[in-house]
Amino acid sequence: DLEGTITAAAVFVNGSVNRDTIAIRGVTASTMTVNTGDNQDTVLIGSNATASFDRATGKVLLSNTGGNLAGIQTTLYVSDSGDQAAQLFIDDSGYGAATSGTLTNDSVVGFGMPGEIDYGTIGALTLALGVGSDDLAVQSTAKGTAYTVDFGSVNNTVTVTGTNKTLDDISGSLLLDAPTPTGGVLNKNTLIVDDSHETNAVAGVLGGSSSNQIYGFGMGGATPDSTLGITYLGFASVSMTLGASGDTVTISGTSTQ
């Protein structure tokens, strides 16, 4: 184990060829770069992130819940060797105020961070948000990366669209998971999907096998693929805006809560 505070103008952490677990609670250097190396490494980012090796069991004990991202003061860059096996877990679940942020195919900004998190070819990215009203903009996702966003409240707004108001840059799978309201609380979770500036005729599906998917419409390629696109849970309102190029839309089901 290596644990402590590193004071330097710039910090570089290089993982080994083994399966590494790296916990990062804060970054104050001008830049911090984490090279995960070859293997299915795990990177935990959040104020409560912990990881330790239990010699008795030979297992890594890790936790990353109830924290925030206020300690990410500058730029944190996570890269790997190109095998796209590393998993990145970002925890802001302890943040109680309303906040907003943006997710792209190579960065996470906002959510109370003075800095930002940049990343290379990773296998999975999980972002846990807090109990306040969050406003998430998903502008792009990377091919081969599985994205999960866990919400902590029932009053969030998610907008999925590129900077050009199309879905062409949504290339990886995106799971949006909001909690089910309890105790008579009104669900206000809203999902907005905007493909309004698409100039090509595209095909897509609303519904999927569990009636909670949106795929195709240029996401992941020209052919609709149910393993890509958007899967949503716990949303009260879902809207989609299409372009004016003669799209083909299959509606196989709808699902809101």
Side-chain angles (χ1 to χ4, degrees):
D1 296 346
L2 174 64
E3 183 171 353
T5 301
I6 301 174
T7 302
V11 176
F12 297 86
V13 177
N14 292 312
S16 68
V17 295
N18 300 313
R19 182 176 294 182
D20 301 314
T21 300
I22 301 169
I24 302 169
R25 302 187 192 105
V27 177
T28 56
S30 60
T31 59
M32 179 174 181
T33 301
V34 176
N35 297 311
T36 59
D38 294 307
N39 219 311
Q40 191 175 347
D41 300 314
T42 299
V43 180
L44 310 175
I45 303 172
S47 60
N48 289 342
T50 61
S52 62
F53 182 72
D54 187 341
R55 297 186 182 278
T57 62
K59 296 182 179 180
V60 175
L61 306 178
L62 54 87
S63 177
N64 192 29
T65 62
N68 60 67
L69 300 172
I72 308 301
Q73 299 285 318
T74 57
T75 299
L76 169 61
Y77 178 59
V78 180
S79 68
D80 73 354
S81 62
D83 57 5
Q84 207 165 15
Q87 302 179 76
L88 179 57
F89 295 89
I90 303 172
D91 176 50
D92 198 39
S93 62
Y95 196 83
T99 187
S100 63
T102 302
L103 171 65
T104 75
N105 57 11
D106 61 5
S107 69
V108 179
V109 299
F111 306 114
M113 280 187 292
E116 66 180 72
I117 300 169
D118 298 336
Y119 62 94
T121 52
I122 60 174
L125 186 154
T126 298
L127 172 62
L129 297 179
V131 296
S133 301
D134 296 315
D135 192 340
L136 168 64
V138 181
Q139 294 181 345
S140 59
T141 59
K143 183 179 181 180
T145 301
Y147 295 83
T148 300
V149 181
D150 295 317
F151 297 91
S153 75
V154 293
N155 189 18
N156 307 286
T157 300
V158 182
T159 303
V160 181
T161 189
T163 56
N164 61 352
K165 298 297 183 182
T166 77
L167 300 175
D168 296 343
D169 291 331
I170 307 298
S171 301
S173 63
L174 174 63
L175 171 61
L176 304 170
D177 191 356
T180 301
T182 59
V185 175
L186 181 63
N187 187 353
K188 296 182 180 180
N189 288 321
T190 300
L191 172 59
I192 301 168
V193 183
D194 187 355
D195 197 38
S196 59
H197 287 191
E198 178 62 70
T199 58
N200 298 312
V202 294
V205 177
L206 305 179
S209 60
S210 298
S211 300
N212 64 336
Q213 289 181 285
I214 301 173
Y215 59 92
F217 304 106
M219 291 185 283
T223 302
D225 184 343
S226 62
T227 65
L228 301 175
I230 305 164
T231 301
Y232 56 92
L233 301 168
F235 281 78
S237 173
V238 178
S239 66
M240 182 166 188
T241 304
L242 299 177
S245 301
D247 299 329
T248 301
V249 182
T250 300
I251 301 176
S252 59
T254 59
S255 175
T256 56
Q257 295 181 352

